[in-house]
Amino acid sequence: MLDREGFRPNVGIILLNQRNQVFWGKRIRSHSWQFPQGGIDRGETPEQAMYRELHEEVGLMPEHVSIVARTRDWLRYEVPDRFIRRDARGHYKGQKQIWYLLRLVAQDWNLNLRATSHPEFDAWRWHDYWVPLDVVVEFKRGVYELALTELSRYLPKTENRNRYLRGGVRHRGNDEGQAPISTSLSPHGLELPPGASFDPDPQSDSRSAHIEPK
């Protein structure tokens, strides 16, 4: 379902834990990390699509989260041709998204990357709020910045609120006495950030890091 300009309606999800860290997922059998997102089906509201995608991609149910806020208007990004399926080229231009900021009110163990037979992620971790801007694929970076900036005003207060100010989290390592960030290898040899969870899907074939539309 595309609009007249070739953009597919879509929802994006920024999921917070109790420390205001955000869920960051690794797309299955790739080295690409992103927030959960997915298309809005015909007849769905953005909120209905958000809850469906939340379950399909990370295994959570509505009772596991609370809605903190959502973006007011559609945020758009264009997708480079090399990331678009061949049969969609020429009429598909990109995504227009409503972004939701959610608070996880359940425990981490409720996250399940294999809730459906077509998983989107095979690993996940928590990141400080602004870190995804440094590592998301370039063509999504503008929308990520708009969404994170608009929704940052709704971040629940924490004891260390200053940690989540944008200027305070862009440098790596030795912050507040912490050791530099290091990486580790999964059982399949993929390099994962510290704290990541690996959940492979042996039935899936290798595929491109970004195949649109979703």
Side-chain angles (χ1 to χ4, degrees):
M1 183 177 65
L2 302 178
D3 66 13
R4 294 179 180 179
E5 298 177 332
F7 289 90
R8 186 182 182 194
N10 189 282
V11 290
I13 298 171
I14 301 172
L15 177 66
L16 298 170
N17 66 11
Q18 296 303 313
R19 299 174 60 192
N20 282 353
Q21 294 173 316
V22 295
F23 174 94
W24 195 231
K26 189 181 79 64
R27 288 187 63 118
I28 193 165
R29 295 186 177 275
S30 80
H31 293 283
S32 174
W33 293 72
Q34 66 174 57
F35 289 133
Q37 69 173 65
I40 301 174
D41 292 339
R42 190 176 300 276
E44 278 188 322
T45 65
E47 184 172 320
Q48 289 170 335
M50 179 272 292
Y51 280 125
R52 176 177 52 76
E53 291 292 337
L54 184 70
H55 175 67
E56 291 179 359
E57 297 201 355
V58 298
L60 296 179
M61 303 298 289
E63 60 267 25
H64 294 144
V65 300
S66 63
I67 297 177
V68 178
R70 54 156 281 183
T71 54
R72 179 178 301 180
D73 298 315
W74 295 105
L75 304 178
R76 293 171 171 81
Y77 68 83
E78 295 186 16
V79 178
D81 283 345
R82 67 183 182 275
F83 296 131
I84 300 176
R85 293 197 313 255
R86 291 183 180 180
D87 61 346
R89 293 175 185 173
H91 55 275
Y92 172 75
K93 191 172 183 179
Q95 307 276 13
K96 65 176 185 180
Q97 299 178 312
I98 296 293
W99 281 86
Y100 284 86
L101 182 67
L102 306 180
R103 164 72 74 188
L104 180 66
V105 297
Q107 299 297 322
D108 286 13
W109 61 69
N110 288 284
L111 292 160
N112 177 14
L113 304 185
R114 301 288 296 282
T116 70
S117 60
H118 49 279
E120 294 290 330
F121 301 122
D122 61 16
W124 68 273
R125 67 154 297 165
W126 295 113
H127 256 320
D128 285 335
Y129 188 79
W130 294 103
V131 170
L133 285 183
D134 292 334
V135 290
V136 70
V137 65
E138 184 176 359
F139 68 84
K140 293 183 180 181
R141 191 166 296 149
V143 160
Y144 271 46
E145 183 162 17
L146 289 172
L148 287 166
T149 299
E150 180 176 346
L151 296 173
S152 65
R153 72 188 70 178
Y154 302 104
L155 284 177
K157 293 181 179 180
T158 67
E159 294 181 0
N160 294 320
R161 176 67 179 253
N162 64 310
R163 291 184 59 205
Y164 304 100
L165 296 177
R166 183 177 177 186
V169 299
R170 301 301 287 256
H171 53 281
R172 299 288 190 271
N174 294 321
D175 185 24
E176 300 181 4
Q178 296 178 357
I181 291 176
S182 61
T183 58
S184 60
L185 293 180
S186 75
H188 290 257
L190 294 176
E191 188 177 83
L192 304 180
S197 171
F198 187 79
D199 188 8
D201 179 11
Q203 302 302 319
S204 294
D205 296 328
S206 296
R207 63 188 190 179
S208 173
H210 298 279
I211 297 295
E212 301 274 348
K214 162 69 172 66

